[in-house]
Amino acid sequence: MELLKKTAVELHDALRKKEISALELTKASIERIEKLDNTLGTFNSLTLDKAIETAKKVDEKIAKKEELPYLAGIPTALKDNMNYKGSKTTCSSKILENFVSPYSATITEKLEQNLIPILGKTNLDEFAMGSSNENSAFRNVKNPYNLNKVPGGSSGGSAASVSASMVTLSLGSDTGGSIRLPASFCGIVGFKPTYGRVSRYGLVAFASSLDQIGPFSKTIEDSARLYEAIAGYDPKDSTSLNLEVGDISSTLKKDIKGLKVGVIKELMSEGTSEDVKNAINNAIETYKKLGAQIVDISLPLLKHSIGVYYIVATAEASSNLARFDGVRYGYRAADCENLLEMYTKTRAQGFGPEVKRRIMLGTYALSSGYYDAYYKKAQQLRRLISNDFTEAFKKVDILISPTCPTTAFDLNSKANNPLEMYLTDIATISSNLAGTPALSMPIGFDKDSMPIGLQVIAKRLDEKTLLQASYALEQELGVYTNRPSI
Ligand code: GLN
């Protein structure tokens, strides 16, 4: 366990100095997964044989003193909406319960090229729709800090497995906050890069104009390293950016004197818990101590982001999920008289209630006669929200806010109230609408010892400043060393 508490950077050193072997490390990770998975509900499936094979390759290369990619040998997990050839991709849905991927996502190939052992596929809200991981068709994920609380969603399994040191790193997808929210609830770093930075080829699409893949880790530096391994142009994803990713880790530790930090006013008002506000204020004071300049920033249209998101995201989801028809993928209902009955029964039996709600909402928003009133209006507002960010970044280098107005809530406390659940994403959604990079990092704990996350946002393509600013704060606060006692 002590071994697994280490960061990827520390493990990188230990592997090079031969204090441990990659095989030992992967086996330690397997043992820990076997010990905790039933309690935490983290994994949908495991890919242990392949992980061991990769670890052995790393050890052979170390023995031969061959060059190795930085993260070679570091135990990692994939959210179960990313394809890994020959293993299941279920999206935590009954409709894909037995679907085996015929190919690997670009992200998976990149992990393999970097000789990163992939331990398995993590639990999520069905098709990544949710904020608490309670929408999984299989089982709930529990928060490693308190088993009665949610881990956040939709990448709950990816966040909990890193928080509980079952794996060192994992990948999530973020459409409206699904990396940042669970990172915040589980006391780790979760980083959503600029839209288009990381290929989504082989990620099961939810809302294609918003989806982005990114890392979970214990520290900012680990996330920077994983980002460097996975980012970059991919001709297989038409939204992938053909731009240099740049060298992020070598400039990470630069001091931030003179950095202009904007505090988003609207997210520090009523609705945000006192404990969360206090932790943010402490982060602000720490930034001042580090020589940064604090500026109040108003994003007046932010309050509309949830409304806009639930039109755009559901419209795109209704179209993306049309492919699950009983013919092309996964589950097909039995005993149907004709094609229409087969479609209807398959989808009625295969999708869970939240997914059905989104499909209906999205189909309605796109239907003729309503398109202009809803979808077109939402797109116009989306542009205005994005413009607010552009204006803000003329005045500041980064923006900060709580990742969520509260810490992790109790299991079953919001599951029957979709609107209340949707409101947990008030701080995160706008970065997806605007395409900006954003991350959540641990900055403290509330009175019940639950982690509090700070959201840091930078302008599009400026991952470098985002990570520098976050790293400086992380090192000064020192909260990142705290781990749940599980
Ligand atoms: N919670 C949001 C939703 O349910 C965001 C999900 C995500 O980012 N995948 O849509």
Side-chain angles (χ1 to χ4, degrees):
M1 170 57 188
E2 282 310 311
L3 190 60
L4 291 168
K5 275 195 176 172
K6 291 185 190 300
T7 66
V9 172
E10 290 164 347
L11 291 170
H12 163 96
D13 287 341
L15 284 167
R16 299 309 186 275
K17 289 185 195 142
K18 299 198 186 163
E19 290 164 8
I20 47 160
S21 72
L23 189 59
E24 272 164 4
L25 182 55
T26 293
K27 284 192 171 160
S29 172
I30 294 173
E31 224 173 86
R32 181 111 178 118
I33 291 171
E34 281 168 352
K35 180 169 168 227
L36 289 181
D37 188 48
N38 267 342
T39 310
L40 290 173
T42 28
F43 282 86
N44 284 348
S45 60
L46 298 174
T47 50
L48 304 184
D49 291 347
K50 289 199 223 173
I52 287 177
E53 211 180 286
T54 307
K56 283 183 179 162
K57 260 190 225 160
V58 173
D59 286 335
E60 274 164 32
K61 284 190 182 275
I62 291 177
K64 288 193 214 146
K65 298 198 166 64
E66 283 177 32
E67 281 258 342
L68 276 175
Y70 192 89
L71 293 176
I74 308 295
T76 298
L78 283 177
K79 185 175 179 178
D80 197 14
N81 58 355
M82 299 168 186
N83 283 295
Y84 190 5
K85 189 175 175 175
S87 57
K88 280 191 192 174
T89 301
T90 71
C91 294
S92 290
S93 179
K94 276 202 187 132
I95 213 158
L96 289 176
E97 195 168 2
N98 297 310
F99 175 75
V100 176
S101 309
Y103 71 104
S104 279
T106 296
I107 183 88
T108 312
E109 284 179 353
K110 292 227 179 187
L111 295 185
E112 288 189 320
Q113 283 155 15
N114 280 279
L115 296 175
I116 298 172
I118 301 170
L119 278 292
K121 312 288 296 292
T122 57
N123 200 351
L124 63 149
D125 283 299
E126 185 174 1
F127 284 102
M129 296 174 187
S131 305
S132 65
N133 223 118
E134 292 164 296
N135 295 335
S136 167
F138 308 139
R139 53 182 178 163
N140 288 341
V141 179
K142 312 275 172 62
N143 191 308
Y145 277 92
N146 179 337
L147 299 178
N148 298 317
K149 306 252 183 206
V150 301
S154 65
S155 315
S158 288
S161 58
V162 170
S163 170
S165 301
M166 300 159 87
V167 284
T168 311
L169 301 167
S170 66
L171 288 166
S173 61
D174 190 312
T175 306
S178 278
I179 294 177
R180 290 160 285 158
L181 185 72
S184 158
F185 283 6
C186 292
I188 57 170
V189 173
F191 167 32
K192 180 197 92 72
T194 303
Y195 179 77
R197 276 290 204 200
V198 178
S199 168
R200 290 116 23 109
Y201 176 76
L203 167 76
V204 179
F206 163 10
S208 307
S209 75
L210 303 161
D211 299 339
Q212 184 55 213
I213 293 175
F216 284 103
S217 63
K218 292 189 175 89
T219 63
I220 298 291
E221 189 171 3
D222 281 9
S223 267
R225 291 286 181 180
L226 185 50
Y227 169 71
E228 284 173 331
I230 61 173
Y233 178 59
D234 177 15
K236 290 184 190 152
D237 174 354
S238 62
T239 63
S240 160
L241 296 168
N242 195 354
L243 295 169
E244 275 295 305
V245 175
D247 180 356
I248 301 285
S249 44
S250 69
T251 55
L252 192 66
K253 301 179 186 177
K254 253 186 69 191
D255 85 77
I256 57 155
K257 241 180 232 114
L259 186 86
K260 289 198 183 119
V261 177
V263 181
I264 304 177
K265 214 176 77 189
E266 286 77 4
L267 294 171
M268 286 295 279
S269 53
E270 55 192 291
T272 301
S273 85
E274 282 309 309
D275 285 354
V276 172
K277 268 191 224 169
N278 291 339
I280 306 286
N281 285 329
N282 182 43
I284 292 173
E285 289 311 310
T286 311
Y287 265 128
K288 283 186 192 159
K289 209 167 99 190
L290 289 168
Q293 196 186 323
I294 306 294
V295 184
D296 268 342
I297 292 286
S298 173
L299 297 174
L301 295 175
L302 194 111
K303 57 177 182 289
H304 297 301
S305 61
I306 291 192
V308 170
Y309 173 85
Y310 277 93
I311 300 286
V312 174
T314 58
E316 293 182 16
S318 81
S319 149
N320 275 326
L321 270 59
R323 73 192 63 173
F324 302 104
D325 56 5
V327 178
R328 286 174 286 187
Y329 309 88
Y331 177 73
R332 175 184 297 177
D335 305 325
C336 300
E337 305 252 298
N338 55 44
L339 186 64
L340 185 63
E341 192 187 335
M342 195 276 287
Y343 286 156
T344 319
K345 272 196 178 167
T346 296
R347 289 167 68 84
Q349 293 166 8
F351 289 136
E354 183 60 29
V355 175
K356 285 179 188 157
R357 179 167 21 244
R358 307 267 178 130
I359 293 173
M360 285 191 279
L361 200 62
T363 308
Y364 179 76
L366 289 176
S367 56
S368 85
Y370 295 100
Y371 182 92
D372 283 358
Y374 294 111
Y375 190 70
K376 193 169 158 209
K377 209 23 129 233
Q379 291 289 33
Q380 288 166 333
L381 252 169
R382 179 180 186 176
R383 164 61 61 189
L384 295 177
I385 291 170
S386 180
N387 290 351
D388 271 4
F389 275 100
T390 310
E391 284 309 307
F393 285 120
K394 285 181 185 159
K395 295 182 209 137
V396 294
D397 301 304
I398 57 159
L399 288 167
I400 60 169
S401 76
T403 306
C404 182
T406 65
T407 52
F409 44 89
D410 289 345
L411 279 157
N412 296 318
S413 62
K414 298 190 189 208
N416 294 320
N417 188 340
L419 188 59
E420 216 187 301
M421 190 70 89
Y422 297 170
L423 289 172
T424 53
D425 297 321
I426 178 70
T428 49
I429 277 176
S430 46
S431 281
N432 300 81
L433 295 173
T436 62
L439 60 79
S440 178
M441 58 184 282
I443 54 161
F445 295 86
D446 71 3
K447 55 181 178 325
D448 300 322
S449 307
M450 294 307 289
I452 297 171
L454 175 81
Q455 177 173 236
V456 188
I457 311 171
K459 63 171 172 286
R460 286 184 72 248
L461 305 174
D462 198 4
E463 279 82 5
K464 199 168 173 162
T465 307
L466 178 72
L467 292 161
Q468 261 172 21
S470 310
Y471 179 83
L473 181 68
E474 173 195 65
Q475 296 301 307
E476 192 63 29
L477 288 175
V479 175
Y480 67 93
T481 52
N482 187 293
R483 301 268 59 89
S485 56
I486 192 165

